[in-house]
Amino acid sequence: GDSVTQMEGPVTLSEEAFLTINCTYTATGYPSLFWYVQYPGEGLQLLLKATKADDKGSNKGFEATYRKETTSFHLEKGSVQVSDSAVYFCALSDYSGTYKYIFGTGTRLKVLA
Amino acid sequence: NAGVTQTPKFQVLKTGQSMTLQCAQDMNHEYMSWYRQDPGMGLRLIHYSVGAGITDQGEVPNGYNVSRSTTEDFPLRLLSAAPSQTSVYFCASSLPSGEQYFGPGTRLTVT
């Protein structure tokens, strides 16, 4: 069945460091891919999305490219800030007869000043 | 525009009790979903709805019921609470393109 696998955290970086959080997926159809962010005590917020192969989603300095050949959607940011500390979730949605929305287990990011 | 609202924020139940978690959205979205979030397991889909009067099961539906009588409201009912249902519950509404908008969550403890 469909699944999403994220790199395990926590990830600890210094401010202004480069960030990569890996995400790979398996899907029987042609899913849309998403990154969500969750700050402490809050619900998830959409960070970016891509709906087809080679699409690049971007928002607030974060980027991710839909790579069908490697079934990946890695999240990157060139220079992280303390305010980026949160949990990041990769997700896919697909409709192949039934509605599927599958989340990865989340990766906690901590950025140190 | 309040987005997605959930009540209550916190709830403690005894085993066997029933309750309803409320969810409402004011964005006129057709799709609504309920998830539970447990440590190390991400979010898992409990039930979803693609419009008023239409609901279906997600990945972990046992022990939960839903109904969708209006576009705005999508309550989740726990029929007979069990300790395994201790979790944080999130309601979400979504656009047809798949972007989801989440409520702030309900933290439920079953003793």
Side-chain angles (χ1 to χ4, degrees):
Chain A
D2 294 9
S3 66
V4 174
T5 303
Q6 283 182 242
M7 63 186 286
E8 290 203 16
V11 173
T12 303
L13 296 173
S14 298
E15 207 165 24
E16 299 184 3
F18 186 86
L19 168 71
T20 301
I21 300 178
N22 290 339
C23 172
T24 57
Y25 68 91
T26 58
T28 51
Y30 300 93
S32 295
L33 301 174
F34 306 85
W35 277 101
Y36 287 85
V37 59
Q38 184 179 33
Y39 298 101
E42 298 183 9
L44 280 69
Q45 303 172 25
L46 179 68
L47 184 58
L48 52 84
K49 70 169 187 176
T51 57
K52 61 183 187 299
D54 300 323
D55 266 3
K56 177 187 279 190
S58 61
N59 186 25
K60 299 180 182 178
F62 291 89
E63 292 183 342
T65 301
Y66 191 142
R67 302 277 188 209
K68 193 166 185 288
E69 64 276 12
T70 54
T71 61
S72 65
F73 193 55
H74 304 321
L75 182 69
E76 296 181 336
K77 187 176 186 184
S79 176
V80 293
Q81 306 299 313
V82 172
S83 57
D84 294 326
S85 298
V87 181
Y88 292 83
F89 291 90
C90 185
L92 70 81
S93 76
D94 192 12
Y95 190 87
S96 306
T98 58
Y99 175 62
K100 297 175 191 172
Y101 214 106
I102 298 171
F103 285 85
T105 53
T107 302
R108 183 175 298 278
L109 170 66
K110 185 171 183 179
V111 181
L112 304 176
Chain B
N1 193 338
V4 180
T5 58
Q6 291 183 239
T7 55
K9 276 189 164 324
F10 302 93
Q11 183 71 49
V12 179
L13 291 178
K14 294 188 188 307
T15 298
Q17 288 184 317
S18 62
M19 79 159 295
T20 299
L21 307 185
Q22 301 292 345
C23 174
Q25 55 99 1
D26 60 1
M27 296 174 282
N28 205 33
H29 290 165
E30 293 295 329
Y31 282 67
M32 295 187 75
S33 306
W34 275 102
Y35 296 88
R36 57 178 291 170
Q37 184 177 29
D38 301 294
M41 303 190 73
L43 277 77
R44 291 181 291 167
L45 183 63
I46 303 171
H47 285 285
Y48 66 94
S49 169
V50 299
I54 307 170
T55 63
D56 207 344
Q57 298 180 352
E59 181 186 355
V60 288
N62 292 341
Y64 308 95
N65 271 358
V66 292
S67 60
R68 184 99 179 269
S69 55
T70 66
T71 299
E72 294 78 20
D73 299 302
F74 191 43
L76 178 72
R77 279 182 289 278
L78 280 70
L79 309 173
S80 177
S84 61
Q85 293 178 304
T86 293
S87 188
V88 181
Y89 291 85
F90 288 100
C91 177
S93 70
S94 49
L95 296 168
S97 55
E99 299 145 54
Q100 299 212 50
Y101 295 80
F102 284 82
T106 294
R107 187 174 295 273
L108 175 68
T109 302
V110 183
T111 62

